Amino acid sequence: MSAAREPIGVIGTGYVGLVTAAGFAELGNDVWCVDIDAAKIERLRRGEIPIYEPGLEELLARNETRLHFSTDIADALGHARLLFVAVGTPPTHSGDADLSAVHAVAGAIPASGSTAGEGHALVMKSTVPCGTGAALRRVFGEQGKSGLAYVSCPEFLKEGSAVEDFLHPDRVVVGDEGDWAGDAVVELYRPLGAPFVRTDIASAEMVKLASNAFLATKISFINEIANVCEETGADVVEVARGMGLDERIGQKFLQAGIGYGGSCFPKDVDALKQLAGNSGYHFQLLTAVIEVNELQKRRVIGKLNRHLGGLAGKRVALLGLAFKPNTDDMREASSLVLSARLQADGAHVTAYDPIAEEQARRLVTGIAYAESPMGAVRGADAVVLVTEWGELLALDWKQVAETMAGDLVIDGRNALDPDAVRGAGLVYEGIGRR
Ligand SMILES: NC(=O)c1ccc[n+]([C@@H]2O[C@H](COP(=O)([O-])OP(=O)(O)OC[C@H]3O[C@@H](n4cnc5c(N)ncnc54)[C@H](O)[C@@H]3O)[C@@H](O)[C@H]2O)c1
């Protein structure tokens, strides 16, 4: 069997699992996908894609014959030795990662029989605290599955460009015990031509947590600089450009705005802070990163209040709701805090998002949803750009000005052209901009 075409299992068919499955199918591997959500598996079998991710539908369709969907982990065990685990690890009330789905997968692998742990490996794609691999290895021993190998292979894809990220990763991190399973994972990824970081399990787990914490720190840092810019008359866009051209700093993740959200940064930063705290170490920097982010989501409220002289009875249009463009993911989106705060202060909120409305309706109640950007801004006293969807960046601001009742545009992502907005006779206010 050619290693590059080895059949694999993928447990969990969410954003990470589906993209991983489609990506490996594209590389020529047969992929056995398993999920406990029977409705989702039914949809996937019918060729329906339960999430919005650019390029994913085409990739899944093109590799239809290599992709198999089931609710029974035995199907994956029967066909593949490597089981990629991509189940959710949401935060618990304590801020630790909830590993119950990971443990459920480990528990579902039988201890004996023809499809037993022997000869199989769990390849962890889910983001888990440092030490999870070691703990699972102990559990395997207790459950009579010490033959089950374990590899940490953290995932770095970004929603919105996940397919691209899978096919062109910056690096592939493989943490293992130097056994066959780590070698097999390296062979699977080899056709992508990315550098490998082959290391121990704990270090691989920490690479993921530290990477997300660092990126979140960069965002909170530039947001604080933006806030100081507002006090001092500097423009954060100019400042970030000047900083980012320094190769040691880099341009990415230096866009000031209304804070980070999504299914990863908030929970992973919390989980790392908690992991440190559980070991008796107070991670002061991350405490500040989290607090800055929370305050940043609320900064728009202060700006609206200042311009509108209070929010009670005012009509505010939110353009975009997803936590970032090109995804329908609403988890920890800044729009959740913003819409709740606006309503608490008595504002009437109308929102538009080109893709995330269905997800948003489950989480954001009490607001009106418009079918178009112009529908959202009709009669509004103020417009807030929350998510920088391409469609929203291309708005005709003269038409917006004619449709609104007021004239205030708050650019929560510093993504609009201030001259175009002002040229339409509107008042432009960004985050940390002159
Ligand atoms: N979404 C991202 O951008 C991203 C990026 C990198 C890493 N991660 C990490 O990857 C993991 C998965 O994230 P996601 O966004 O794909 O999650 P998701 O919620 O979209 O998908 C998780 C899937 O796992 C399924 N599942 C839960 N328990 C199961 C079980 N016992 N057996 C089989 N399936 C089960 C769920 O039904 C769901 O379909 C998380 O740990 C996350 O932190 C996510």
Side-chain angles (χ1 to χ4, degrees):
M1 176 172 51
S2 146
R5 301 181 72 84
E6 169 162 7
I8 62 163
V10 172
I11 317 300
T13 57
Y15 290 87
V16 170
L18 258 192
V19 171
T20 304
F24 277 120
E26 176 78 0
L27 294 180
N29 304 91
D30 256 23
V31 186
W32 297 82
C33 305
V34 178
D35 204 292
I36 46 167
D37 184 338
K40 196 182 253 190
I41 289 296
E42 258 323 300
R43 289 183 66 186
L44 287 164
R45 280 184 177 148
R46 286 198 301 268
E48 291 173 29
I49 317 301
I51 55 168
Y52 176 80
E53 187 59 50
L56 183 58
E57 193 167 356
E58 296 83 334
L59 204 62
L60 287 167
R62 189 159 66 231
N63 296 290
E64 191 188 14
T65 54
R66 295 201 191 101
L67 289 157
H68 316 273
F69 296 100
S70 170
T71 51
D72 188 353
I73 200 166
D75 285 332
L77 285 164
H79 291 92
R81 26 176 221 165
L82 297 172
L83 299 191
F84 283 74
V85 180
V87 297
T89 49
T92 60
H93 293 298
S94 63
D96 296 284
D98 179 352
L99 296 179
S100 54
V102 167
H103 283 285
V105 173
I109 296 179
S112 60
S114 57
T115 57
E118 196 71 41
H120 285 98
L122 286 191
V123 184
M124 192 56 64
K125 291 259 105 195
S126 297
T127 303
V128 295
C130 187
T132 302
L136 282 169
R137 300 277 294 138
R138 276 197 301 279
V139 171
F140 297 162
E142 287 159 19
Q143 295 177 342
K145 303 173 195 168
S146 35
L148 185 59
Y150 185 89
V151 180
S152 167
C153 183
E155 183 52 62
F156 300 95
L157 62 75
K158 304 177 287 301
E159 286 174 22
S161 59
V163 169
E164 234 353 72
D165 293 342
F166 176 90
L167 295 171
H168 307 284
D170 290 339
R171 78 299 209 187
V172 176
V173 176
V174 178
D176 68 307
E177 299 188 316
D179 54 21
W180 68 269
D183 294 344
V185 172
V186 167
E187 286 316 312
L188 278 177
Y189 278 101
R190 200 179 291 288
L192 298 177
F196 286 102
V197 178
R198 185 98 185 248
T199 181
D200 59 279
I201 293 170
S203 302
E205 292 168 340
M206 189 56 95
V207 170
K208 174 64 193 177
L209 294 174
S211 298
N212 274 1
F214 184 77
L215 294 172
T217 302
K218 234 179 147 183
I219 295 172
S220 279
F221 179 83
I222 200 65
N223 280 336
E224 290 232 273
I225 294 292
N227 299 343
V228 178
C229 283
E230 289 186 0
E231 301 301 323
T232 55
D235 187 319
V236 75
V237 173
E238 301 294 311
V239 174
R241 191 173 126 73
M243 288 170 63
L245 286 170
D246 184 329
E247 278 181 13
R248 295 169 301 174
I249 297 173
Q251 303 272 9
K252 292 183 179 163
F253 287 79
L254 277 190
Q255 282 74 40
I258 52 173
Y260 60 78
S263 66
C264 291
F265 282 6
K267 89 171 165 62
D268 294 349
V269 175
D270 257 2
L272 180 53
K273 183 191 155 192
Q274 208 51 49
L275 180 73
N278 295 344
S279 324
Y281 182 74
H282 179 45
F283 206 142
Q284 295 187 60
L285 183 59
L286 290 188
T287 305
V289 167
I290 294 164
E291 192 182 347
V292 167
N293 195 55
E294 280 312 307
L295 294 174
Q296 202 65 19
K297 293 180 195 170
R298 291 160 168 79
R299 262 188 100 76
V300 166
I301 303 293
K303 288 174 186 290
L304 287 167
N305 259 312
R306 203 170 59 248
H307 284 275
L308 300 178
L311 282 166
K314 296 286 164 33
R315 311 194 78 82
V316 179
L318 299 183
L319 294 182
L321 291 167
F323 87 93
K324 66 174 180 179
N326 299 319
T327 182
D328 59 350
D329 202 338
M330 282 292 299
R331 288 177 281 187
E332 298 291 329
S334 295
S335 62
L336 298 174
V337 171
L338 200 50
S339 54
R341 284 291 312 114
L342 285 168
Q343 289 188 81
D345 283 358
H348 303 291
V349 180
T350 304
Y352 167 75
D353 190 287
I355 294 290
E357 183 183 325
E358 193 185 325
Q359 311 283 352
R361 279 182 181 274
R362 296 192 196 123
L363 299 169
V364 187
T365 51
I367 69 168
Y369 289 89
E371 287 183 358
S372 68
M374 286 306 152
V377 305
R378 186 159 299 119
D381 297 297
V383 167
V384 182
L385 179 80
V386 180
T387 315
E388 63 277 37
W389 286 96
E391 176 187 349
L392 302 174
L393 303 187
L395 283 179
D396 175 345
W397 292 100
K398 289 221 163 61
Q399 199 188 343
V400 172
E402 284 159 15
T403 314
M404 289 176 71
D407 61 3
L408 177 61
V409 175
I410 301 211
D411 180 1
R413 297 295 176 189
N414 284 352
L416 301 173
D417 174 359
D419 292 338
V421 176
R422 290 192 184 113
L426 295 164
V427 174
Y428 172 90
E429 171 137 3
I431 308 291
R433 302 195 81 172
R434 247 194 321 267

